[in-house]
Amino acid sequence: MHFFPISGTCCLPLAYLLDCEIEFSCALGHRTVESVGENVVEVKAGDLVVPVVQRNCGECRDCKFKGNACTKFPAASLNAMPRDGSSRFLDKDGQPLHHFLFASSFAEYTVVDVTHLVKISPEVPVDKACLLSCGVTTGVGATMKAAQIEEGSTVAIFGLGTVGLAVAEGARIRGASKIIGIDKNLEKFEIAKKFGVTDFVNPTSCGKDSVSQVIREMTDGGADYCFECVGSTSLIREAFDGSRQGCGKTVILGADLHGSPLSIHPLEILAGKSIMGATLGGIKPKQDIPHLAQKYLKKELRLDGFITHEVSFEEINKAFDLLLQGKSLRCIIWMNR
C-alpha cells in the first residue's frame, strides 16, 4: 500500500444518504493487490486496483441495467465487511477496529471486498490512479453519465472544490461552449481556468441580483446544465433557477447534511426542467473507471492539476489541516516516503 488521496467531499454525505452511522475507532482512507481470498478470480496479486465506496458486483439488476446503486448486499454498515458485517482489523489491545467506507486504506495493508475493487491499467502512475477513487470520478462521471452533456452546451458549476473542478474538466472534454464557475473564493478562479472554466461568478459581487439571474443573463435564458457541488439546499434551488426553461437539467453532487427540504413548483418540472442526484457521478465503477484511466493515458483527461500537495504518512495531520483550511484539492499521502 503506497498512497491515497485525502479529502472530505463525499464520505460523510454518503453515510447520511444511506442512513448509516460511522463508528469509531476505525481505519480511515480510501493500492496494489497483495493476495486474494478463495473464489476471487477478478484480480490477482500484483494488480493495480482502485478501492471505491460504491459497490459494483456486476450481477444484480441495478449493476446490469440502469443506475449504480448495487443491491447485492444490504448497506447496513459502512464500518465492516459488506457480506457478513465483520471487521478484519484489531487494535494493539486486540479489540476490533472498524472499517471505513469499505476501503480503509490509511494502512499498510487492508482487506477489501472484491465488489469494491476496480482493476485498472498498470501504466497509470499510482499517484494518479488514486484520484479515480472518489471526487474526480464523481465530477467527470457526472458530465458523462448523469448529465450526458452535449457539445456546445452551457454549464454552470456551484462550488469549485475538487468535485466542481472535475465537473469542469468533464464539461471541457464533452465540448461545452461556456463553463461558468460559481465560488466565493477568488483564488479558485485562476485554478479553475486550467480545467476549462471560461467565466466566473462571485456570489458576493452580484449586487441585488441573485446568482441564478446572473447565470440566466450570461447564457441567454439559463444554463443547459447546472451542477451543485457544495451540499446546500439553497444552492440547489439557485442552480435549478439558473437552468434553462424547458430543458435545463440540475445535477446534485453535494449532500445537505442538515436535511433541509427542497421546494420546487410542479409546473416547473412539467415545463421540462429536471433535477437529479448522482452518487459517484452515476458511473458503474468496474465499467467506467478503467475507461477514465485510459482517457488519462491518452492525455484526454487531465489529472495532474488536482494534486496540490504530497506528504509522508508521518505528516498525515498536516494533510488534514490543509483540508480543513481549504488550501488543498488533493493531498497525496505516501506510505513509503
Side-chain angles (χ1 to χ4, degrees):
M1 191 71 63
H2 302 292
F3 58 90
F4 44 82
I6 183 169
S7 79
T9 54
C10 298
C11 300
L12 294 182
L14 182 66
Y16 172 80
L17 289 170
L18 296 177
D19 193 25
C20 297
E21 294 183 354
I22 300 295
E23 297 184 69
F24 294 93
S25 298
C26 60
L28 295 175
H30 275 352
R31 251 174 251 269
T32 305
V33 175
E34 190 274 336
S35 60
V36 298
E38 186 179 358
N39 299 321
V40 175
V41 296
E42 188 176 326
V43 297
K44 64 181 184 302
D47 283 345
L48 179 62
V49 294
V50 176
V52 291
V53 64
Q54 192 72 13
R55 186 181 303 117
N56 188 189
C57 72
E59 301 170 354
C60 69
R61 183 181 187 279
D62 300 274
C63 285
K64 288 182 176 180
F65 300 102
K66 289 186 176 182
N68 66 347
C70 175
T71 50
K72 186 176 180 68
F73 312 117
S77 172
L78 300 177
N79 291 114
M81 297 296 290
R83 297 175 192 258
D84 59 9
S86 65
S87 173
R88 303 303 171 88
F89 299 112
L90 297 175
D91 65 15
K92 62 182 179 64
D93 298 319
Q95 297 301 310
L97 191 65
H98 298 292
H99 290 242
F100 184 70
L101 297 179
F102 310 114
S104 300
S105 61
F106 282 26
E108 291 182 285
Y109 295 93
T110 187
V111 181
V112 181
D113 192 279
V114 71
T115 58
H116 289 277
L117 283 180
V118 177
K119 179 181 175 180
I120 64 172
S121 169
E123 297 178 29
V124 181
V126 293
D127 58 333
K128 308 305 186 300
C130 66
L131 299 176
L132 299 175
S133 180
C134 189
V136 173
T137 293
T138 295
V140 175
T143 67
M144 300 176 177
K145 304 292 287 191
Q148 299 181 18
I149 291 175
E150 304 95 350
E151 186 174 355
S153 300
T154 55
V155 175
I157 306 166
F158 288 74
L160 296 177
T162 297
V163 174
L165 293 175
V167 169
E169 175 68 1
R172 180 193 66 80
I173 294 172
R174 299 284 290 185
S177 61
K178 184 186 287 287
I179 304 173
I180 305 169
I182 301 102
D183 203 295
K184 293 181 179 179
N185 187 346
L186 300 181
E187 295 179 2
K188 297 286 184 70
F189 291 173
E190 285 302 314
I191 298 172
K193 290 179 182 178
K194 301 176 183 178
F195 295 97
V197 176
T198 59
D199 300 85
F200 303 92
V201 175
N202 180 353
T204 63
S205 302
C206 293
K208 296 181 180 179
D209 293 334
S210 64
V211 173
S212 57
Q213 287 177 300
V214 173
I215 292 173
R216 288 196 298 270
E217 291 172 2
M218 295 174 69
T219 55
D220 191 26
D224 298 308
Y225 298 95
C226 290
F227 295 84
E228 199 283 337
C229 307
V230 177
S232 164
T233 298
S234 62
L235 287 184
I236 294 172
R237 179 74 230 195
E238 282 285 352
F240 184 80
D241 289 343
S243 65
R244 197 166 195 83
Q245 184 72 21
C247 63
K249 179 179 286 188
T250 300
V251 181
I252 304 171
L253 298 178
D256 188 331
L257 298 182
H258 300 291
S260 304
L262 177 66
S263 177
I264 295 176
H265 198 290
L267 288 181
E268 295 181 277
I269 301 296
L270 180 63
K273 280 189 173 186
S274 62
I275 185 168
M276 66 179 299
T279 303
L280 203 64
I283 72 157
K284 296 181 186 294
K286 292 182 186 292
Q287 171 183 317
D288 297 317
I289 289 180
H291 175 65
L292 293 178
Q294 287 300 317
K295 279 188 171 294
Y296 169 75
L297 292 175
K298 294 177 181 178
K299 302 186 184 303
E300 297 173 10
L301 173 62
R302 300 181 297 203
L303 294 177
D304 303 54
F306 288 100
I307 302 174
T308 54
H309 299 81
E310 298 186 41
V311 299
S312 66
F313 186 70
E314 287 73 18
E315 299 174 296
I316 189 170
N317 288 335
K318 177 182 176 181
F320 277 106
D321 290 339
L322 289 168
L323 169 66
L324 294 173
Q325 294 165 10
K327 294 182 178 180
S328 69
L329 291 177
R330 283 294 180 266
C331 179
I332 306 299
I333 302 175
W334 294 85
M335 287 286 184
N336 56 353
R337 287 187 180 179

